[in-house]
Amino acid sequence: MTPAPNSTPDAPPLTRRIQRLIQRVRAFDRRHPSAWDLLLTGFFVTAALIDYGEGGWQTIAHNANLPDWLVCSMSLGLSVPLLWRRRHPLPVLTAMSLIALANSLTGAVLQAALLQFFLVFNIALRLPLKTLWWAAVLVVGPSVAGALRFPDGGWDGQVIPAIWVFSVVALLGIAVRTRRDYTEALLDRARRLEVERDQQAQLAAAAERTRIAREMHDIIGHNLSVITGLADGGRYAAAKSPERAVQALDAISTTSRTALTELRRLLGVLRDDEPPAAELTPQPTLTDLHQLMDGVRAAGLPVRMTVSRHPDSVPPPGPGQQLTVYRVVQEALTNTLKHAGPDATAEVNVNYTPQAITATITDKTTSTHTSIPSPEGRGITGMRERTALYEGTLETGARPTGGWRIHLHLPRNEDPEP
C-alpha cells in the first residue's frame, strides 16, 4: 500500500492509517470549509441542546432554578457562534465571553462554555500571538466572576482549571502554527530552488548556444572567406595561367576539408547518443598562426606576421588564451578579406610577456570603396565575448590613413573554469 504524501514510510501500520485519515480530513476541509464548519457547529449545538433538554446541566449548577428560556439562550449563544470561529475568531470569542459571563454569574455552569477554547486555538493559529493576552482575559474573566459570585466552588475548582486548559490549548495552537509555517517555508524554499535550477539551466543553455554560434561563425566564416578569395583568384587565372587555377582549386579543396573537419568536431561533441565517438582534435594555438597566414595569403591577401616574447624564457599563455588570440586574429583577417578591397595588405603582431598577451591586427588599403565591418555584427561581438572571458580589452576602429585596426590585450590570468 502506498503511504500518504506526508506520512512516514517506516512508521507502524496504525500510525500510517491515522496519518492518512488526518490527510483526508484536511483535504476535505480545504475543499469544503463551509461544510466542515456546519458539521462541527451542528454537532456541538445538538450536544448543548441535549444537555439543556435532559437537564444534565442542573447536576453541577450552582443555581438549578433558572428559567428554561435563559438556559436555552445561553446554550445556543455558546455553540452557534462556532460557525464563524475561523473567519472572525476574536470577535466571536468576545461575544461568547459575554454569554460565558452570564453563565457564571447566574450559576448555570453550562459545559458549553468550554467551546470557547475552539476560539482560543484558532486565535493562536491565525492571529498575532500578542492577541492571546486579550483572549486570556476573555476566557478566564468569567471564571473569576463566577468564583467571586459563588465562592463555595472555590478558586481551585473554577479559575485554576480555566487557566490550565487555556494554556494547553494556546500552546497546542502555537505548535500547530509553528509546524505549518515551517512546512510552508520548506515548500517555498523548494519552489524557489526549482525556479533557480530552471533559470540556471536556461542560462547555461543560452551560454552554450552563444559559444557554439561563436565557434561556427569563426570556423565557417573564415574558411568561406578564404574559399571565396581563392575562387575569385582562380577564375581570373584560368584564362592566362591554368597552373595557378589548379593551385587555387587545390587550396579550395584543402580549405574545405579543414572547415569540414572542424565543423564535424564541433557537431560531434553535441551528440548525446554517442559522445565517445566524437572526433577530438586539439584546439588551435599560437603555433597554428603560421598555417592560418598561409591560407590567408593563398586567398590573395598579403599578410606579414611577427610573434615575439619578452623575455625569451617567458612560457606561452594557457590554451584558452591562445585560442582567444587565434580566433581574434582569424576573425580580423576574415573581415579584411571581406571588406578591405583587392589592394589591401595586413600586418599581425603578437607579443606576450609575463604580465599580458597583446595582438595587433592592422590592414592597409588605398581603395575608396572599402566597406567597414558593422560593430553589431557577430564577428566583432564574438571577439568581445572571448576577450571578456579573460578580463581583457579589445579596441577596434578605422585608421586615419585608411584601413582598420584591432588591438587585443589579455592579462596573464589562469584559464577560467569551463
mmCIF file of all heavy atoms in Angstrom, residues 308-343:
data_model
loop_
_atom_site.group_PDB
_atom_site.id
_atom_site.type_symbol
_atom_site.label_atom_id
_atom_site.label_comp_id
_atom_site.label_asym_id
_atom_site.label_seq_id
_atom_site.Cartn_x
_atom_site.Cartn_y
_atom_site.Cartn_z
ATOM 1 N N SER A 308 56.548 37.640 -30.885
ATOM 2 C CA SER A 308 57.706 37.877 -30.026
ATOM 3 C C SER A 308 57.310 37.672 -28.569
ATOM 4 O O SER A 308 56.144 37.755 -28.203
ATOM 5 C CB SER A 308 58.243 39.306 -30.231
ATOM 6 O OG SER A 308 57.235 40.258 -29.942
ATOM 7 N N ARG A 309 58.328 37.400 -27.738
ATOM 8 C CA ARG A 309 58.114 37.260 -26.302
ATOM 9 C C ARG A 309 59.231 37.983 -25.557
ATOM 10 O O ARG A 309 60.374 38.016 -26.035
ATOM 11 C CB ARG A 309 58.055 35.791 -25.911
ATOM 12 C CG ARG A 309 59.343 35.020 -26.193
ATOM 13 C CD ARG A 309 59.275 33.599 -25.679
ATOM 14 N NE ARG A 309 58.429 32.754 -26.495
ATOM 15 C CZ ARG A 309 58.166 31.483 -26.234
ATOM 16 N NH1 ARG A 309 58.658 30.930 -25.120
ATOM 17 N NH2 ARG A 309 57.427 30.760 -27.020
ATOM 18 N N HIS A 310 58.932 38.584 -24.431
ATOM 19 C CA HIS A 310 59.902 39.338 -23.624
ATOM 20 C C HIS A 310 59.731 38.934 -22.163
ATOM 21 O O HIS A 310 58.688 39.189 -21.558
ATOM 22 C CB HIS A 310 59.675 40.847 -23.772
ATOM 23 C CG HIS A 310 59.776 41.337 -25.178
ATOM 24 N ND1 HIS A 310 60.971 41.467 -25.841
ATOM 25 C CD2 HIS A 310 58.814 41.715 -26.064
ATOM 26 C CE1 HIS A 310 60.740 41.936 -27.051
ATOM 27 N NE2 HIS A 310 59.431 42.088 -27.222
ATOM 28 N N PRO A 311 60.721 38.323 -21.543
ATOM 29 C CA PRO A 311 61.975 37.849 -22.145
ATOM 30 C C PRO A 311 61.752 36.565 -22.945
ATOM 31 O O PRO A 311 60.644 36.058 -23.004
ATOM 32 C CB PRO A 311 62.858 37.606 -20.922
ATOM 33 C CG PRO A 311 61.887 37.258 -19.838
ATOM 34 C CD PRO A 311 60.662 38.062 -20.098
ATOM 35 N N ASP A 312 62.819 36.061 -23.519
ATOM 36 C CA ASP A 312 62.697 34.879 -24.366
ATOM 37 C C ASP A 312 62.250 33.641 -23.590
ATOM 38 O O ASP A 312 61.698 32.702 -24.175
ATOM 39 C CB ASP A 312 64.027 34.585 -25.068
ATOM 40 C CG ASP A 312 64.417 35.695 -26.035
ATOM 41 O OD1 ASP A 312 63.488 36.426 -26.465
ATOM 42 O OD2 ASP A 312 65.611 35.843 -26.338
ATOM 43 N N SER A 313 62.485 33.635 -22.271
ATOM 44 C CA SER A 313 62.171 32.449 -21.477
ATOM 45 C C SER A 313 60.737 32.437 -20.957
ATOM 46 O O SER A 313 60.351 31.495 -20.264
ATOM 47 C CB SER A 313 63.127 32.356 -20.275
ATOM 48 O OG SER A 313 63.022 33.515 -19.464
ATOM 49 N N VAL A 314 59.948 33.466 -21.239
ATOM 50 C CA VAL A 314 58.595 33.512 -20.712
ATOM 51 C C VAL A 314 57.785 32.374 -21.328
ATOM 52 O O VAL A 314 57.843 32.131 -22.530
ATOM 53 C CB VAL A 314 57.945 34.875 -20.997
ATOM 54 C CG1 VAL A 314 57.793 35.116 -22.481
ATOM 55 C CG2 VAL A 314 56.572 34.957 -20.332
ATOM 56 N N PRO A 315 57.043 31.605 -20.529
ATOM 57 C CA PRO A 315 56.259 30.490 -21.088
ATOM 58 C C PRO A 315 55.075 31.010 -21.883
ATOM 59 O O PRO A 315 54.599 32.135 -21.665
ATOM 60 C CB PRO A 315 55.816 29.724 -19.843
ATOM 61 C CG PRO A 315 55.790 30.735 -18.757
ATOM 62 C CD PRO A 315 56.925 31.683 -19.066
ATOM 63 N N PRO A 316 54.571 30.233 -22.806
ATOM 64 C CA PRO A 316 53.399 30.653 -23.578
ATOM 65 C C PRO A 316 52.170 30.703 -22.688
ATOM 66 O O PRO A 316 52.125 30.081 -21.619
ATOM 67 C CB PRO A 316 53.276 29.572 -24.653
ATOM 68 C CG PRO A 316 53.944 28.376 -24.069
ATOM 69 C CD PRO A 316 55.066 28.902 -23.216
ATOM 70 N N PRO A 317 51.151 31.449 -23.079
ATOM 71 C CA PRO A 317 49.918 31.510 -22.283
ATOM 72 C C PRO A 317 49.172 30.180 -22.289
ATOM 73 O O PRO A 317 49.537 29.245 -23.016
ATOM 74 C CB PRO A 317 49.111 32.617 -22.961
ATOM 75 C CG PRO A 317 49.633 32.668 -24.359
ATOM 76 C CD PRO A 317 51.081 32.304 -24.276
ATOM 77 N N GLY A 318 48.116 30.109 -21.501
ATOM 78 C CA GLY A 318 47.310 28.900 -21.427
ATOM 79 C C GLY A 318 46.585 28.621 -22.725
ATOM 80 O O GLY A 318 46.449 29.481 -23.599
ATOM 81 N N PRO A 319 46.075 27.390 -22.882
ATOM 82 C CA PRO A 319 45.420 27.022 -24.144
ATOM 83 C C PRO A 319 44.181 27.865 -24.431
ATOM 84 O O PRO A 319 43.902 28.168 -25.596
ATOM 85 C CB PRO A 319 45.063 25.550 -23.933
ATOM 86 C CG PRO A 319 45.092 25.331 -22.456
ATOM 87 C CD PRO A 319 46.123 26.269 -21.941
ATOM 88 N N GLY A 320 43.434 28.239 -23.389
ATOM 89 C CA GLY A 320 42.248 29.056 -23.624
ATOM 90 C C GLY A 320 42.603 30.432 -24.156
ATOM 91 O O GLY A 320 41.963 30.942 -25.075
ATOM 92 N N GLN A 321 43.644 31.055 -23.604
ATOM 93 C CA GLN A 321 44.062 32.370 -24.084
ATOM 94 C C GLN A 321 44.685 32.276 -25.473
ATOM 95 O O GLN A 321 44.500 33.168 -26.310
ATOM 96 C CB GLN A 321 45.042 32.987 -23.090
ATOM 97 C CG GLN A 321 44.402 33.350 -21.760
ATOM 98 C CD GLN A 321 45.376 34.020 -20.809
ATOM 99 O OE1 GLN A 321 46.571 33.719 -20.821
ATOM 100 N NE2 GLN A 321 44.872 34.912 -19.973
ATOM 101 N N GLN A 322 45.419 31.199 -25.737
ATOM 102 C CA GLN A 322 45.967 31.019 -27.087
ATOM 103 C C GLN A 322 44.843 30.885 -28.114
ATOM 104 O O GLN A 322 44.924 31.445 -29.222
ATOM 105 C CB GLN A 322 46.866 29.786 -27.121
ATOM 106 C CG GLN A 322 48.146 29.936 -26.314
ATOM 107 C CD GLN A 322 49.146 28.836 -26.623
ATOM 108 O OE1 GLN A 322 49.400 28.524 -27.783
ATOM 109 N NE2 GLN A 322 49.711 28.259 -25.569
ATOM 110 N N LEU A 323 43.771 30.140 -27.748
ATOM 111 C CA LEU A 323 42.639 30.009 -28.667
ATOM 112 C C LEU A 323 41.985 31.366 -28.901
ATOM 113 O O LEU A 323 41.586 31.686 -30.033
ATOM 114 C CB LEU A 323 41.629 29.019 -28.091
ATOM 115 C CG LEU A 323 40.332 28.846 -28.886
ATOM 116 C CD1 LEU A 323 40.620 28.291 -30.276
ATOM 117 C CD2 LEU A 323 39.347 27.951 -28.142
ATOM 118 N N THR A 324 41.873 32.188 -27.836
ATOM 119 C CA THR A 324 41.271 33.517 -27.991
ATOM 120 C C THR A 324 42.086 34.376 -28.954
ATOM 121 O O THR A 324 41.538 35.033 -29.848
ATOM 122 C CB THR A 324 41.164 34.208 -26.622
ATOM 123 O OG1 THR A 324 40.313 33.431 -25.767
ATOM 124 C CG2 THR A 324 40.603 35.611 -26.745
ATOM 125 N N VAL A 325 43.400 34.378 -28.786
ATOM 126 C CA VAL A 325 44.252 35.155 -29.697
ATOM 127 C C VAL A 325 44.107 34.653 -31.127
ATOM 128 O O VAL A 325 43.976 35.441 -32.078
ATOM 129 C CB VAL A 325 45.720 35.082 -29.228
ATOM 130 C CG1 VAL A 325 46.635 35.773 -30.243
ATOM 131 C CG2 VAL A 325 45.882 35.732 -27.860
ATOM 132 N N TYR A 326 44.098 33.338 -31.276
ATOM 133 C CA TYR A 326 43.986 32.756 -32.622
ATOM 134 C C TYR A 326 42.667 33.176 -33.277
ATOM 135 O O TYR A 326 42.637 33.593 -34.436
ATOM 136 C CB TYR A 326 44.081 31.237 -32.524
ATOM 137 C CG TYR A 326 43.966 30.531 -33.861
ATOM 138 C CD1 TYR A 326 45.101 30.235 -34.607
ATOM 139 C CD2 TYR A 326 42.723 30.164 -34.373
ATOM 140 C CE1 TYR A 326 45.004 29.590 -35.838
ATOM 141 C CE2 TYR A 326 42.610 29.527 -35.606
ATOM 142 C CZ TYR A 326 43.754 29.238 -36.325
ATOM 143 O OH TYR A 326 43.657 28.600 -37.538
ATOM 144 N N ARG A 327 41.536 33.080 -32.528
ATOM 145 C CA ARG A 327 40.241 33.404 -33.116
ATOM 146 C C ARG A 327 40.117 34.891 -33.422
ATOM 147 O O ARG A 327 39.503 35.274 -34.424
ATOM 148 C CB ARG A 327 39.125 32.979 -32.155
ATOM 149 C CG ARG A 327 38.972 31.468 -31.975
ATOM 150 C CD ARG A 327 38.735 30.755 -33.270
ATOM 151 N NE ARG A 327 38.387 29.348 -33.057
ATOM 152 C CZ ARG A 327 38.411 28.426 -34.011
ATOM 153 N NH1 ARG A 327 38.774 28.767 -35.239
ATOM 154 N NH2 ARG A 327 38.072 27.169 -33.743
ATOM 155 N N VAL A 328 40.680 35.738 -32.593
ATOM 156 C CA VAL A 328 40.625 37.176 -32.869
ATOM 157 C C VAL A 328 41.411 37.495 -34.134
ATOM 158 O O VAL A 328 40.956 38.256 -35.000
ATOM 159 C CB VAL A 328 41.144 37.971 -31.660
ATOM 160 C CG1 VAL A 328 41.341 39.441 -32.030
ATOM 161 C CG2 VAL A 328 40.180 37.859 -30.492
ATOM 162 N N VAL A 329 42.620 36.943 -34.266
ATOM 163 C CA VAL A 329 43.416 37.160 -35.477
ATOM 164 C C VAL A 329 42.678 36.614 -36.694
ATOM 165 O O VAL A 329 42.617 37.250 -37.758
ATOM 166 C CB VAL A 329 44.803 36.508 -35.323
ATOM 167 C CG1 VAL A 329 45.569 36.569 -36.640
ATOM 168 C CG2 VAL A 329 45.601 37.198 -34.219
ATOM 169 N N GLN A 330 42.094 35.426 -36.546
ATOM 170 C CA GLN A 330 41.365 34.811 -37.650
ATOM 171 C C GLN A 330 40.190 35.677 -38.092
ATOM 172 O O GLN A 330 39.998 35.915 -39.297
ATOM 173 C CB GLN A 330 40.865 33.431 -37.214
ATOM 174 C CG GLN A 330 40.123 32.660 -38.297
ATOM 175 C CD GLN A 330 39.522 31.383 -37.751
ATOM 176 O OE1 GLN A 330 38.777 31.417 -36.777
ATOM 177 N NE2 GLN A 330 39.844 30.251 -38.362
ATOM 178 N N GLU A 331 39.404 36.169 -37.134
ATOM 179 C CA GLU A 331 38.244 36.991 -37.481
ATOM 180 C C GLU A 331 38.668 38.323 -38.076
ATOM 181 O O GLU A 331 38.034 38.822 -39.015
ATOM 182 C CB GLU A 331 37.387 37.212 -36.232
ATOM 183 C CG GLU A 331 36.151 38.079 -36.452
ATOM 184 C CD GLU A 331 35.200 37.467 -37.467
ATOM 185 O OE1 GLU A 331 35.180 36.221 -37.608
ATOM 186 O OE2 GLU A 331 34.477 38.246 -38.121
ATOM 187 N N ALA A 332 39.755 38.918 -37.553
ATOM 188 C CA ALA A 332 40.229 40.188 -38.105
ATOM 189 C C ALA A 332 40.664 40.031 -39.557
ATOM 190 O O ALA A 332 40.339 40.863 -40.418
ATOM 191 C CB ALA A 332 41.376 40.722 -37.254
ATOM 192 N N LEU A 333 41.399 38.967 -39.860
ATOM 193 C CA LEU A 333 41.828 38.739 -41.246
ATOM 194 C C LEU A 333 40.648 38.389 -42.135
ATOM 195 O O LEU A 333 40.627 38.736 -43.329
ATOM 196 C CB LEU A 333 42.882 37.640 -41.275
ATOM 197 C CG LEU A 333 44.206 37.979 -40.568
ATOM 198 C CD1 LEU A 333 45.151 36.796 -40.595
ATOM 199 C CD2 LEU A 333 44.865 39.201 -41.212
ATOM 200 N N THR A 334 39.654 37.685 -41.595
ATOM 201 C CA THR A 334 38.452 37.384 -42.371
ATOM 202 C C THR A 334 37.729 38.670 -42.754
ATOM 203 O O THR A 334 37.281 38.829 -43.902
ATOM 204 C CB THR A 334 37.521 36.471 -41.560
ATOM 205 O OG1 THR A 334 38.203 35.258 -41.233
ATOM 206 C CG2 THR A 334 36.267 36.136 -42.339
ATOM 207 N N ASN A 335 37.607 39.605 -41.806
ATOM 208 C CA ASN A 335 36.980 40.894 -42.118
ATOM 209 C C ASN A 335 37.780 41.655 -43.169
ATOM 210 O O ASN A 335 37.214 42.349 -44.017
ATOM 211 C CB ASN A 335 36.852 41.731 -40.853
ATOM 212 C CG ASN A 335 35.756 41.206 -39.929
ATOM 213 O OD1 ASN A 335 34.841 40.520 -40.372
ATOM 214 N ND2 ASN A 335 35.867 41.513 -38.645
ATOM 215 N N THR A 336 39.110 41.527 -43.096
ATOM 216 C CA THR A 336 39.937 42.194 -44.109
ATOM 217 C C THR A 336 39.684 41.609 -45.487
ATOM 218 O O THR A 336 39.565 42.341 -46.483
ATOM 219 C CB THR A 336 41.427 42.051 -43.737
ATOM 220 O OG1 THR A 336 41.639 42.618 -42.441
ATOM 221 C CG2 THR A 336 42.306 42.770 -44.750
ATOM 222 N N LEU A 337 39.574 40.278 -45.562
ATOM 223 C CA LEU A 337 39.285 39.644 -46.851
ATOM 224 C C LEU A 337 37.933 40.097 -47.411
ATOM 225 O O LEU A 337 37.795 40.298 -48.622
ATOM 226 C CB LEU A 337 39.291 38.118 -46.695
ATOM 227 C CG LEU A 337 40.660 37.431 -46.627
ATOM 228 C CD1 LEU A 337 40.485 35.967 -46.243
ATOM 229 C CD2 LEU A 337 41.362 37.532 -47.979
ATOM 230 N N LYS A 338 36.959 40.262 -46.518
ATOM 231 C CA LYS A 338 35.618 40.586 -46.992
ATOM 232 C C LYS A 338 35.420 42.072 -47.269
ATOM 233 O O LYS A 338 34.656 42.446 -48.154
ATOM 234 C CB LYS A 338 34.582 40.121 -45.946
ATOM 235 C CG LYS A 338 34.481 38.616 -45.818
ATOM 236 C CD LYS A 338 33.271 38.209 -44.991
ATOM 237 C CE LYS A 338 33.376 38.673 -43.567
ATOM 238 N NZ LYS A 338 32.244 38.175 -42.728
ATOM 239 N N HIS A 339 36.092 42.944 -46.508
ATOM 240 C CA HIS A 339 35.748 44.363 -46.556
ATOM 241 C C HIS A 339 36.858 45.284 -47.069
ATOM 242 O O HIS A 339 36.553 46.417 -47.450
ATOM 243 C CB HIS A 339 35.354 44.847 -45.141
ATOM 244 C CG HIS A 339 34.217 44.083 -44.549
ATOM 245 N ND1 HIS A 339 32.931 44.198 -44.981
ATOM 246 C CD2 HIS A 339 34.197 43.179 -43.522
ATOM 247 C CE1 HIS A 339 32.132 43.417 -44.261
ATOM 248 N NE2 HIS A 339 32.885 42.779 -43.367
ATOM 249 N N ALA A 340 38.130 44.848 -47.055
ATOM 250 C CA ALA A 340 39.217 45.804 -47.293
ATOM 251 C C ALA A 340 39.490 46.076 -48.760
ATOM 252 O O ALA A 340 40.206 47.020 -49.085
ATOM 253 C CB ALA A 340 40.494 45.304 -46.633
ATOM 254 N N GLY A 341 38.971 45.287 -49.669
ATOM 255 C CA GLY A 341 39.204 45.541 -51.079
ATOM 256 C C GLY A 341 40.368 44.739 -51.633
ATOM 257 O O GLY A 341 41.150 44.110 -50.895
ATOM 258 N N PRO A 342 40.544 44.748 -52.966
ATOM 259 C CA PRO A 342 41.546 43.881 -53.596
ATOM 260 C C PRO A 342 42.992 44.315 -53.379
ATOM 261 O O PRO A 342 43.904 43.495 -53.526
ATOM 262 C CB PRO A 342 41.182 43.959 -55.086
ATOM 263 C CG PRO A 342 40.470 45.275 -55.230
ATOM 264 C CD PRO A 342 39.743 45.507 -53.941
ATOM 265 N N ASP A 343 43.250 45.585 -53.049
ATOM 266 C CA ASP A 343 44.619 46.058 -52.903
ATOM 267 C C ASP A 343 45.066 46.129 -51.441
ATOM 268 O O ASP A 343 46.059 46.781 -51.119
ATOM 269 C CB ASP A 343 44.767 47.443 -53.541
ATOM 270 C CG ASP A 343 43.802 48.451 -52.898
ATOM 271 O OD1 ASP A 343 42.862 47.993 -52.205
ATOM 272 O OD2 ASP A 343 43.994 49.657 -53.078
#
